[in-house]
Amino acid sequence: MSAPATSTLSIRDLHASIGEKPILKGLSLEIPKGEVHAIMGKNGAGKSTLAKIMAGHPDYTVTSGDVLLDGESILGMEPDVRARLGLFLAFQYPMEIPGVTIANFIRAALQARLPQGEELEATEYYAKLYAKMDALSVPRNFTSRSVNEGFSGGEKKRCEILQMAMLEPSYAVLDETDSGLDIDALKIVSAGVNALRGPNIGMLVITHYQRLLDYIVPDKVHVMSDGRIIHSGDKELALKLEAQGYDWVEKEYADAQSAL
Amino acid sequence: MSTETKPDIDIDRSVGDFRYDVDYAFDAGVGLSEATIDYICDVKGDPDWVRAFRKEGYRKFLEKPMPTHWATKDLENIVFENIRYYLSQGQVPKRSWDDVPEDVKRTFERLGIPEQERKFLAGVEAQFDSEAAYSNIKAAVGEQGVIFVGSAEGLKEHPEIFRKWFGKVIPSGDNKFSALNSAVFSGGSFIYVPPGVKVSHPLQAYFRINAQNFGQFERTLIIADEGAELTYMEGCTAPKFETATLHSAVVELVAMKGAKIQYITVQNWSSNVFNLVTKRGIAHENAEVKWIDCNIGSRLTMKYPGVVMKEKGARGEVVSIALAGNGQHQDTGAKMIHAADNTTSNIISKSISLGSGRSTYRGMVHVPKHLKGCKNNTECDALLINTHSRTDTYPAISVRGQGNAVQHEASVSQINSEQIFYMQQRGLSEAAAMSLAVNGFVNDLVQQFPMEYSVELKRLIDLEMEGSVG
């Protein structure tokens, strides 16, 4: 059963390149609201690139195909317009913004979502921010630190999840959120993500370790290789990939292709 | 002439870019000669010593070459013969806004000056072209013996204090533009704070150029007697004219033993003003002079606030923010002259260059051989926003002798496209993202400004950034 087009994030036969080099070669994926999908694959499969292209990174050119957010094509939109429509990307390497505190940054992001002339209500904002921080075990002094400046790997990822919790996106792409995390940090971050799961959000978790999927249990698992999805399955697929590697999937795909 | 105020007519994005027509009773005409100086002296009723001082300044101005051997060639575009050196409606500043002529008053009202005065200032002087239209301090401050008047009134009514220091911190021949100012100065403030008096709220001056082809040459002298403290703030705007305008001020500060002077500038001249200003303070024993200098406007600014630490334990500080947008050149910096043992100076400069904007830092720190226990810290950070923007740093640090410490740190950074992408991914437009990054860059310095000014500063930066993206 597929969800109606109005409540899915839909990637259709997407081709994209950087300069002359093709990166995505006909990738299709449907992520309905309420589901968590995982993309796994080897390094260099194009996983992180997919995340950036969806978010509208200017380095990449989409050559064909489409990305629809709740039925609306977002290709050609500025990254900030896509974000305000409800797309969130938790970065693998979040950027530092010296001198801008987390509290001010998130506030500016929320303010950007309000109609012209409307001001964010400060008291409500802080009440919500502190509640979300408590839920993510983020210490209060976090708010007065500059965004990602001097943060440990775990702090950066928690900061990403905090932003996600505050911005309440309808679709979130989590790019290698487990990278650089020790097991305790991984548990905290995963708990934060799980707390945000629900019928109003669709998530795409990009990882190349099955480990993360022990904590964030996906509804579906997709294998990406050379710019395409070559295999999809349920959460058991992740375990099989962990045990047997990717070669068998790639071989199956190659055999199927040559049989065509 | 229309007297109604229509807020939407003839306004650019900049709050100061508007102009009402005004009738001038006194006009020295175009160009500069001995006759111009005599005209100014006669109108102002200058005493003989001032007339002599002006004439000497004029002579030095003619003698000195344009400093284009080290400074920008753009200076050659100033046409001294085309400038009007004195324009006023009358020479006596009013004590009440009710007495200020309507056409001048509405300019200051639109700039929000009377409102700021009511809210948080201890006193205000508002200069319109050559003369102050308004000057007043709150009664409580006046009762403590604080003098806050225009320079003309200062030299006439308080010659015993005025003459002692006038032209002593910055001699008329210090540079070509201090000489020019000495020849034709008009307006500016004279402030004296008696021993031990701490003025808790800032005194403020607002400088407004309203006439085209006009040169504004105010002269400010501030003396804080032993143990006295004050904060002085100045703001400035001008409408955008077709032709270049010249602003060339001289500001002298004297901090007696244990006194503290903090001088804050938010310079927002329109983008065709040449802003060539000489500012220096003398700090006596354990005294402190601090310049907080923010340059956002003008076509070319050349300004290097200085502190002469004349007696032991004196401290000098310059905190400087410069924003050079398209077509602008902010050539700013600091001069720290250590002239006694155990003196301390601190320079923190942050500049932002946008588009074709150029920012230059020039710093001079001088510690002679015979001194000991002197310290200087210099930090200058430059932020470049587009690839064709430019920044230069010329630090000149001369430290001799033993037991003196200097520290110099400089950095150049760029807002990179990944940072902008990251912020855009959170929903901020490109302009808002740039603005946030720039505000972040200067955030630690902006916090040193009084609240009311830091809000204004943030707003000005946002406006600049909005205009720069597109």
Side-chain angles (χ1 to χ4, degrees):
Chain A
M1 279 254 293
S2 70
T6 50
S7 57
T8 63
L9 177 60
S10 175
I11 304 168
R12 294 186 182 162
D13 194 25
L14 195 63
H15 289 73
S17 54
I18 182 161
E20 295 295 302
K21 192 185 169 209
I23 306 271
L24 299 185
K25 301 170 183 173
L27 186 140
S28 298
L29 203 58
E30 290 276 321
I31 303 146
K33 271 188 189 160
E35 292 188 12
V36 174
H37 289 210
I39 287 190
M40 300 186 71
K42 291 180 181 168
N43 279 332
K47 304 189 298 292
S48 288
T49 305
L50 171 65
K52 285 184 185 169
I53 288 169
M54 287 163 77
H57 193 289
D59 285 356
Y60 302 93
T61 314
V62 171
T63 47
S64 67
D66 209 347
V67 179
L68 305 168
L69 196 149
D70 292 338
E72 184 181 2
S73 173
I74 58 170
L75 295 182
M77 289 179 180
E78 285 293 311
D80 54 303
V81 180
R82 302 180 193 207
R84 293 195 298 270
L85 276 179
L87 182 67
F88 182 89
L89 170 59
F91 283 62
Q92 182 178 6
Y93 303 110
M95 299 305 295
E96 295 182 2
I97 313 168
V100 177
T101 64
I102 289 178
N104 282 343
F105 184 54
I106 298 177
R107 190 173 176 169
L110 285 169
Q111 181 68 48
R113 286 160 169 78
L114 296 180
Q116 194 90 43
E118 212 172 291
E119 278 290 319
L120 196 68
E121 218 281 296
T123 333
E124 280 172 30
Y125 166 68
Y126 277 100
K128 185 174 167 186
L129 180 65
Y130 289 144
K132 302 279 186 192
M133 287 170 71
D134 291 348
L136 277 168
S137 311
V138 172
R140 289 282 168 93
N141 67 11
F142 217 66
T143 52
S144 56
R145 292 173 65 184
S146 294
V147 177
N148 295 317
E149 204 180 30
F151 281 24
S152 69
E155 285 174 328
K156 283 186 183 171
K157 296 302 164 75
R158 260 185 282 175
C159 180
E160 293 294 284
I161 304 305
L162 174 64
Q163 292 174 50
M164 178 171 144
M166 289 298 289
L167 299 177
E168 298 173 332
S170 35
Y171 299 96
V173 180
L174 282 66
D175 187 11
E176 307 268 0
T177 294
D178 51 330
S179 69
L181 296 188
D182 60 30
I183 197 74
D184 293 326
L186 183 65
K187 282 181 183 168
I188 293 172
V189 167
S190 304
V193 172
N194 286 331
L196 297 174
R197 288 177 80 155
N200 297 320
I201 184 168
M203 290 190 201
L204 181 61
V205 179
I206 293 173
T207 180
H208 61 257
Y209 294 115
Q210 127 76 17
R211 182 179 81 147
L212 176 68
L213 305 181
D214 287 341
Y215 299 97
I216 304 172
V217 180
D219 299 298
K220 282 210 173 83
V221 175
H222 309 277
V223 179
M224 186 168 174
S225 174
D226 193 27
R228 300 177 187 91
I229 299 297
I230 58 166
H231 192 83
S232 298
D234 58 16
K235 63 183 179 197
E236 310 304 330
L237 175 59
L239 293 168
K240 191 172 171 191
L241 289 167
E242 178 82 354
Q244 302 179 16
Y246 291 97
D247 291 348
W248 66 272
V249 205
E250 285 177 359
K251 187 166 180 306
E252 269 185 27
Y253 180 74
D255 292 347
Q257 292 299 101
S258 59
L260 286 176
Chain B
M1 227 129 292
S2 157
T3 48
E4 61 179 11
T5 313
K6 271 195 182 167
D8 289 332
I9 290 173
D10 195 23
I11 309 175
D12 203 343
R13 63 188 170 83
S14 146
V15 73
D17 191 17
F18 66 93
R19 180 180 182 274
Y20 300 120
D21 274 324
V22 160
D23 292 323
Y24 295 100
F26 304 97
D27 181 348
V30 174
L32 181 60
S33 65
E34 292 245 355
T36 322
I37 293 167
D38 283 324
Y39 178 88
I40 295 172
C41 289
D42 294 343
V43 167
K44 297 176 80 78
D46 282 341
D48 289 344
W49 71 270
V50 174
R51 193 182 293 260
F53 179 86
R54 289 181 186 279
K55 294 278 172 80
E56 194 200 336
Y58 180 56
R59 216 184 58 243
K60 288 176 177 163
F61 167 69
L62 295 178
E63 274 168 26
K64 287 196 172 282
M66 270 292 191
T68 41
H69 57 291
W70 60 270
T72 168
K73 296 269 180 290
D74 194 24
L75 287 172
E76 285 163 4
N77 294 314
I78 303 172
V79 185
F80 292 103
E81 305 83 71
N82 291 350
I83 291 170
R84 297 197 278 177
Y85 289 83
Y86 185 88
L87 274 180
S88 82
Q89 288 191 305
Q91 322 86 310
V92 184
K94 303 296 187 281
R95 293 281 183 254
S96 157
W97 285 107
D98 292 338
D99 300 331
V100 174
E102 196 57 37
D103 44 6
V104 171
K105 188 168 83 176
R106 62 185 172 157
T107 294
F108 287 114
E109 273 174 351
R110 183 147 153 195
L111 293 166
I113 310 301
E115 191 192 347
Q116 289 175 6
E117 179 182 16
R118 282 192 300 276
K119 274 191 193 155
F120 66 95
L121 297 171
V124 165
E125 184 189 356
Q127 179 163 341
F128 194 83
D129 294 332
S130 293
E131 296 287 359
Y134 172 84
S135 169
N136 199 20
I137 49 172
K138 295 206 165 133
V141 182
E143 281 159 16
Q144 293 177 292
V146 175
I147 300 168
F148 179 32
V149 294
S151 65
E153 193 175 333
L155 69 88
K156 278 180 210 155
E157 306 297 324
H158 309 280
E160 70 293 346
I161 323 171
F162 192 93
R163 270 190 90 163
K164 190 173 172 196
W165 293 107
F166 180 75
K168 301 297 195 303
V169 185
I170 301 171
S172 60
D174 186 83
N175 62 72
K176 190 172 180 73
F177 294 97
S178 66
L180 176 63
N181 175 282
S182 300
V184 297
F185 75 89
S186 183
S189 310
F190 170 68
I191 296 175
Y192 172 76
V193 185
V197 173
K198 295 176 170 60
V199 185
S200 53
H201 293 284
L203 297 169
Q204 178 178 281
Y206 199 89
F207 298 96
R208 172 72 180 172
I209 292 177
N210 199 61
Q212 192 156 4
N213 297 326
F214 171 71
Q216 190 172 58
F217 306 95
E218 87 271 10
R219 181 103 195 179
T220 288
L221 172 60
I222 298 175
I223 298 148
D225 215 325
E226 287 192 11
E229 289 179 16
L230 90 148
T231 295
Y232 180 86
M233 310 202 291
E234 59 171 2
C236 38
T237 58
K240 241 178 218 138
F241 293 118
E242 293 299 312
T243 54
T245 306
L246 176 61
H247 173 256
S248 189
V250 168
V251 177
E252 299 175 287
L253 308 182
V254 180
M256 301 308 289
K257 186 177 172 181
K260 278 187 187 173
I261 302 177
Q262 179 163 282
Y263 191 107
I264 302 169
T265 303
V266 177
Q267 181 270 104
N268 189 28
W269 293 118
S270 59
S271 57
N272 47 10
V273 172
F274 284 95
N275 183 45
L276 311 166
V277 173
T278 312
K279 289 180 165 170
R280 199 170 302 152
I282 291 181
H284 292 85
E285 189 177 335
N286 293 323
E288 182 180 302
V289 170
K290 179 173 183 174
W291 300 97
I292 300 182
D293 202 46
C294 178
N295 293 290
I296 290 176
S298 82
R299 164 175 170 171
L300 169 67
T301 284
M302 289 174 64
K303 181 168 35 161
Y304 322 99
V307 183
V308 180
M309 287 148 279
K310 206 179 169 195
E311 291 177 357
K312 63 177 197 249
R315 292 181 304 280
E317 187 164 2
V318 171
V319 172
S320 159
I321 299 173
L323 179 60
N326 275 327
Q328 290 183 295
H329 185 181
Q330 306 285 7
D331 193 330
T332 60
K335 280 186 185 175
M336 292 296 182
I337 313 295
H338 291 257
D341 290 344
N342 300 318
T343 48
T344 311
S345 61
N346 188 29
I347 303 169
I348 304 174
S349 156
K350 292 202 177 190
S351 69
I352 300 138
S353 308
L354 280 173
S356 65
R358 180 178 167 192
S359 56
T360 303
Y361 168 81
R362 293 177 208 272
M364 188 176 97
V365 177
H366 181 69
V367 184
K369 195 172 177 180
H370 63 278
L371 298 184
K372 51 185 191 299
C374 297
K375 282 184 205 138
N376 165 260
N377 175 56
T378 301
E379 288 169 43
C380 49
D381 299 320
L383 184 69
L384 298 176
I385 294 191
N386 288 325
T387 44
H388 57 304
S389 49
R390 171 173 173 181
T391 183
D392 316 279
T393 302
Y394 304 98
I397 300 180
S398 106
V399 181
R400 304 210 163 111
Q402 312 255 304
N404 297 310
V406 279
Q407 195 174 311
H408 181 256
E409 281 175 45
S411 76
V412 177
S413 50
Q414 266 183 304
I415 296 180
N416 69 45
S417 54
E418 295 299 322
Q419 281 172 306
I420 297 297
F421 176 67
Y422 182 69
M423 289 188 266
Q424 279 192 280
Q425 210 300 307
R426 298 304 182 244
L428 299 167
S429 68
E430 191 182 358
M434 292 267 207
S435 215
L436 198 63
V438 169
N439 275 299
F441 175 70
V442 296
N443 186 37
D444 53 337
L445 301 193
V446 170
Q447 283 176 359
Q448 301 204 25
F449 285 70
M451 236 275 274
E452 292 78 4
Y453 270 46
S454 62
V455 170
E456 171 70 2
L457 206 53
K458 193 184 164 307
R459 199 186 61 80
L460 289 175
I461 290 172
D462 288 347
L463 280 172
E464 278 297 316
M465 299 313 298
E466 252 172 48
S468 72
V469 176

PDB file of all heavy atoms in Angstrom, chain B residues 129-147:
ATOM      1  N   ASP B 129      24.886  70.900   9.728  1.00  0.00           N
ATOM      2  CA  ASP B 129      25.927  71.553   8.934  1.00  0.00           C
ATOM      3  C   ASP B 129      26.977  72.171   9.848  1.00  0.00           C
ATOM      4  O   ASP B 129      27.585  71.460  10.616  1.00  0.00           O
ATOM      5  CB  ASP B 129      25.315  72.521   7.925  1.00  0.00           C
ATOM      6  CG  ASP B 129      24.500  71.763   6.863  1.00  0.00           C
ATOM      7  OD1 ASP B 129      24.844  70.594   6.594  1.00  0.00           O
ATOM      8  OD2 ASP B 129      23.531  72.310   6.333  1.00  0.00           O
ATOM      9  N   SER B 130      27.160  73.504   9.837  1.00  0.00           N
ATOM     10  CA  SER B 130      28.303  74.045  10.581  1.00  0.00           C
ATOM     11  C   SER B 130      28.085  74.272  12.067  1.00  0.00           C
ATOM     12  O   SER B 130      29.044  74.343  12.829  1.00  0.00           O
ATOM     13  CB  SER B 130      28.756  75.373   9.962  1.00  0.00           C
ATOM     14  OG  SER B 130      29.299  75.150   8.682  1.00  0.00           O
ATOM     15  N   GLU B 131      26.819  74.467  12.484  1.00  0.00           N
ATOM     16  CA  GLU B 131      26.619  74.831  13.886  1.00  0.00           C
ATOM     17  C   GLU B 131      25.661  73.874  14.593  1.00  0.00           C
ATOM     18  O   GLU B 131      24.806  73.251  13.972  1.00  0.00           O
ATOM     19  CB  GLU B 131      26.051  76.264  13.989  1.00  0.00           C
ATOM     20  CG  GLU B 131      26.985  77.357  13.472  1.00  0.00           C
ATOM     21  CD  GLU B 131      28.179  77.648  14.389  1.00  0.00           C
ATOM     22  OE1 GLU B 131      28.305  77.018  15.471  1.00  0.00           O
ATOM     23  OE2 GLU B 131      28.986  78.522  14.017  1.00  0.00           O
ATOM     24  N   ALA B 132      25.792  73.829  15.913  1.00  0.00           N
ATOM     25  CA  ALA B 132      24.856  73.059  16.715  1.00  0.00           C
ATOM     26  C   ALA B 132      23.519  73.782  16.728  1.00  0.00           C
ATOM     27  O   ALA B 132      23.454  74.986  16.959  1.00  0.00           O
ATOM     28  CB  ALA B 132      25.377  72.884  18.130  1.00  0.00           C
ATOM     29  N   ALA B 133      22.461  73.051  16.439  1.00  0.00           N
ATOM     30  CA  ALA B 133      21.128  73.639  16.487  1.00  0.00           C
ATOM     31  C   ALA B 133      20.566  73.511  17.898  1.00  0.00           C
ATOM     32  O   ALA B 133      19.696  74.264  18.309  1.00  0.00           O
ATOM     33  CB  ALA B 133      20.215  72.910  15.507  1.00  0.00           C
ATOM     34  N   TYR B 134      21.084  72.546  18.621  1.00  0.00           N
ATOM     35  CA  TYR B 134      20.520  72.255  19.938  1.00  0.00           C
ATOM     36  C   TYR B 134      21.637  71.734  20.828  1.00  0.00           C
ATOM     37  O   TYR B 134      22.506  70.978  20.385  1.00  0.00           O
ATOM     38  CB  TYR B 134      19.446  71.183  19.794  1.00  0.00           C
ATOM     39  CG  TYR B 134      18.904  70.652  21.105  1.00  0.00           C
ATOM     40  CD1 TYR B 134      17.878  71.329  21.773  1.00  0.00           C
ATOM     41  CD2 TYR B 134      19.417  69.484  21.673  1.00  0.00           C
ATOM     42  CE1 TYR B 134      17.373  70.833  22.980  1.00  0.00           C
ATOM     43  CE2 TYR B 134      18.920  69.001  22.874  1.00  0.00           C
ATOM     44  CZ  TYR B 134      17.904  69.669  23.525  1.00  0.00           C
ATOM     45  OH  TYR B 134      17.412  69.194  24.710  1.00  0.00           O
ATOM     46  N   SER B 135      21.632  72.150  22.054  1.00  0.00           N
ATOM     47  CA  SER B 135      22.617  71.636  22.990  1.00  0.00           C
ATOM     48  C   SER B 135      22.054  71.755  24.391  1.00  0.00           C
ATOM     49  O   SER B 135      21.637  72.819  24.812  1.00  0.00           O
ATOM     50  CB  SER B 135      23.910  72.447  22.864  1.00  0.00           C
ATOM     51  OG  SER B 135      24.772  72.142  23.914  1.00  0.00           O
ATOM     52  N   ASN B 136      22.013  70.649  25.088  1.00  0.00           N
ATOM     53  CA  ASN B 136      21.419  70.706  26.427  1.00  0.00           C
ATOM     54  C   ASN B 136      21.876  69.513  27.250  1.00  0.00           C
ATOM     55  O   ASN B 136      22.119  68.436  26.729  1.00  0.00           O
ATOM     56  CB  ASN B 136      19.881  70.690  26.318  1.00  0.00           C
ATOM     57  CG  ASN B 136      19.230  71.191  27.591  1.00  0.00           C
ATOM     58  OD1 ASN B 136      19.864  71.877  28.400  1.00  0.00           O
ATOM     59  ND2 ASN B 136      17.978  70.839  27.788  1.00  0.00           N
ATOM     60  N   ILE B 137      22.014  69.740  28.556  1.00  0.00           N
ATOM     61  CA  ILE B 137      22.227  68.588  29.434  1.00  0.00           C
ATOM     62  C   ILE B 137      21.153  68.578  30.494  1.00  0.00           C
ATOM     63  O   ILE B 137      20.546  69.595  30.811  1.00  0.00           O
ATOM     64  CB  ILE B 137      23.612  68.552  30.130  1.00  0.00           C
ATOM     65  CG1 ILE B 137      23.947  69.881  30.795  1.00  0.00           C
ATOM     66  CG2 ILE B 137      24.684  68.118  29.200  1.00  0.00           C
ATOM     67  CD1 ILE B 137      25.205  69.790  31.641  1.00  0.00           C
ATOM     68  N   LYS B 138      20.937  67.400  31.039  1.00  0.00           N
ATOM     69  CA  LYS B 138      19.938  67.283  32.080  1.00  0.00           C
ATOM     70  C   LYS B 138      20.383  68.090  33.298  1.00  0.00           C
ATOM     71  O   LYS B 138      21.572  68.158  33.608  1.00  0.00           O
ATOM     72  CB  LYS B 138      19.733  65.804  32.434  1.00  0.00           C
ATOM     73  CG  LYS B 138      19.150  65.086  31.228  1.00  0.00           C
ATOM     74  CD  LYS B 138      18.335  63.861  31.517  1.00  0.00           C
ATOM     75  CE  LYS B 138      17.536  63.499  30.264  1.00  0.00           C
ATOM     76  NZ  LYS B 138      17.592  62.098  29.910  1.00  0.00           N
ATOM     77  N   ALA B 139      19.403  68.679  33.970  1.00  0.00           N
ATOM     78  CA  ALA B 139      19.693  69.594  35.074  1.00  0.00           C
ATOM     79  C   ALA B 139      20.593  68.953  36.121  1.00  0.00           C
ATOM     80  O   ALA B 139      21.575  69.555  36.574  1.00  0.00           O
ATOM     81  CB  ALA B 139      18.382  70.055  35.699  1.00  0.00           C
ATOM     82  N   ALA B 140      20.308  67.710  36.453  1.00  0.00           N
ATOM     83  CA  ALA B 140      21.074  67.032  37.510  1.00  0.00           C
ATOM     84  C   ALA B 140      22.557  66.945  37.157  1.00  0.00           C
ATOM     85  O   ALA B 140      23.429  67.031  38.021  1.00  0.00           O
ATOM     86  CB  ALA B 140      20.505  65.640  37.744  1.00  0.00           C
ATOM     87  N   VAL B 141      22.839  66.767  35.853  1.00  0.00           N
ATOM     88  CA  VAL B 141      24.226  66.646  35.417  1.00  0.00           C
ATOM     89  C   VAL B 141      24.900  68.020  35.464  1.00  0.00           C
ATOM     90  O   VAL B 141      26.037  68.170  35.926  1.00  0.00           O
ATOM     91  CB  VAL B 141      24.297  66.047  33.997  1.00  0.00           C
ATOM     92  CG1 VAL B 141      25.734  65.869  33.548  1.00  0.00           C
ATOM     93  CG2 VAL B 141      23.559  64.710  33.954  1.00  0.00           C
ATOM     94  N   GLY B 142      24.169  69.041  35.025  1.00  0.00           N
ATOM     95  CA  GLY B 142      24.690  70.403  35.059  1.00  0.00           C
ATOM     96  C   GLY B 142      25.002  70.863  36.480  1.00  0.00           C
ATOM     97  O   GLY B 142      26.015  71.534  36.725  1.00  0.00           O
ATOM     98  N   GLU B 143      24.165  70.442  37.411  1.00  0.00           N
ATOM     99  CA  GLU B 143      24.361  70.858  38.801  1.00  0.00           C
ATOM    100  C   GLU B 143      25.636  70.291  39.413  1.00  0.00           C
ATOM    101  O   GLU B 143      26.170  70.833  40.381  1.00  0.00           O
ATOM    102  CB  GLU B 143      23.146  70.426  39.654  1.00  0.00           C
ATOM    103  CG  GLU B 143      21.966  71.378  39.476  1.00  0.00           C
ATOM    104  CD  GLU B 143      20.635  70.735  39.873  1.00  0.00           C
ATOM    105  OE1 GLU B 143      20.657  69.689  40.560  1.00  0.00           O
ATOM    106  OE2 GLU B 143      19.591  71.293  39.483  1.00  0.00           O
ATOM    107  N   GLN B 144      26.137  69.195  38.835  1.00  0.00           N
ATOM    108  CA  GLN B 144      27.399  68.634  39.334  1.00  0.00           C
ATOM    109  C   GLN B 144      28.611  69.379  38.780  1.00  0.00           C
ATOM    110  O   GLN B 144      29.741  69.003  39.057  1.00  0.00           O
ATOM    111  CB  GLN B 144      27.513  67.154  38.934  1.00  0.00           C
ATOM    112  CG  GLN B 144      26.499  66.255  39.617  1.00  0.00           C
ATOM    113  CD  GLN B 144      26.630  64.822  39.102  1.00  0.00           C
ATOM    114  OE1 GLN B 144      26.325  64.521  37.948  1.00  0.00           O
ATOM    115  NE2 GLN B 144      27.118  63.946  39.964  1.00  0.00           N
ATOM    116  N   GLY B 145      28.355  70.405  38.007  1.00  0.00           N
ATOM    117  CA  GLY B 145      29.452  71.205  37.460  1.00  0.00           C
ATOM    118  C   GLY B 145      29.925  70.744  36.098  1.00  0.00           C
ATOM    119  O   GLY B 145      30.931  71.237  35.578  1.00  0.00           O
ATOM    120  N   VAL B 146      29.198  69.800  35.514  1.00  0.00           N
ATOM    121  CA  VAL B 146      29.593  69.317  34.187  1.00  0.00           C
ATOM    122  C   VAL B 146      29.267  70.392  33.151  1.00  0.00           C
ATOM    123  O   VAL B 146      28.172  70.966  33.154  1.00  0.00           O
ATOM    124  CB  VAL B 146      28.852  68.010  33.836  1.00  0.00           C
ATOM    125  CG1 VAL B 146      29.176  67.565  32.416  1.00  0.00           C
ATOM    126  CG2 VAL B 146      29.199  66.918  34.834  1.00  0.00           C
ATOM    127  N   ILE B 147      30.229  70.684  32.299  1.00  0.00           N
ATOM    128  CA  ILE B 147      29.998  71.623  31.206  1.00  0.00           C
ATOM    129  C   ILE B 147      29.866  70.828  29.917  1.00  0.00           C
ATOM    130  O   ILE B 147      30.702  69.980  29.613  1.00  0.00           O
ATOM    131  CB  ILE B 147      31.191  72.601  31.065  1.00  0.00           C
ATOM    132  CG1 ILE B 147      31.395  73.404  32.354  1.00  0.00           C
ATOM    133  CG2 ILE B 147      30.988  73.543  29.880  1.00  0.00           C
ATOM    134  CD1 ILE B 147      32.721  74.156  32.389  1.00  0.00           C
TER     135      ILE B 147
END
